[in-house]
Amino acid sequence: QVQLVESGGGLVQPGGSLRLSCAASGFSVSTYGIGWFRQAPGKEREGVACIASADDNTFYSRSVKGRFRISRDNAANTVYLQMNSLKPEDTAFYYCAADWWIPITRATTACEEADFRSWGQGTQVTVSS
């Protein structure tokens, strides 16, 4: 059974950093594509970062590119989202998601929610002074 558990959220001041973790069970993160999504109150869920299933290609949304980094630790079976230079507009509930086939190429324009069939419960990130 595929399970994902997020952790690492919390309250941080603008300009600060957080690292979110997505611990996986029931499958190997080395062979699955993983995505990080977020949803702020009153807004649609947004895909912010994803990593491909067959290689280490990544995609970042324009809103986080250059500030966030997705990575996976195959030994720990965990995927991370390192978030730097956080802004108040990064405040949201963050989810990780997984699927066995997530290709990412130069033509990729978004981390598509519909491509991911397994989801975690999420963790809250609040950026505020």
Side-chain angles (χ1 to χ4, degrees), residues 20-121:
L20 304 183
S21 299
C22 174
S25 59
F27 71 100
S28 174
V29 300
S30 65
T31 59
Y32 268 55
I34 307 293
W36 282 99
F37 295 79
R38 68 185 182 187
Q39 189 165 21
K43 294 189 176 181
E44 292 187 353
R45 191 175 296 184
E46 172 193 14
V48 298
C50 45
I51 188 165
S53 51
D55 50 45
D56 287 332
N57 287 349
T58 56
F59 176 86
Y60 298 92
S61 68
R62 187 178 301 179
S63 60
V64 307
K65 192 170 185 177
R67 300 188 297 122
F68 289 14
R69 181 175 179 269
I70 187 171
S71 63
R72 54 184 162 207
D73 182 338
N74 295 335
N77 212 32
T78 299
V79 174
Y80 301 102
L81 184 68
Q82 178 66 43
M83 307 186 295
N84 299 325
S85 303
L86 283 162
K87 305 175 182 179
E89 51 264 44
D90 294 318
T91 296
F93 213 71
Y94 283 71
Y95 302 87
C96 67
D99 209 277
W100 70 275
W101 179 241
I102 301 294
I104 296 176
T105 69
R106 291 182 179 179
T108 299
T109 58
C111 304
E112 297 287 355
E113 185 176 343
D115 291 341
F116 294 84
R117 285 174 284 184
S118 298
W119 291 78
Q121 294 301 306

Side-chain angles (χ1 to χ4, degrees), residues 4-22:
L4 301 164
V5 178
E6 302 93 334
S7 62
L11 173 65
V12 62
Q13 292 187 342
S17 298
L18 278 177
R19 188 179 76 162
L20 304 183
S21 299
C22 174

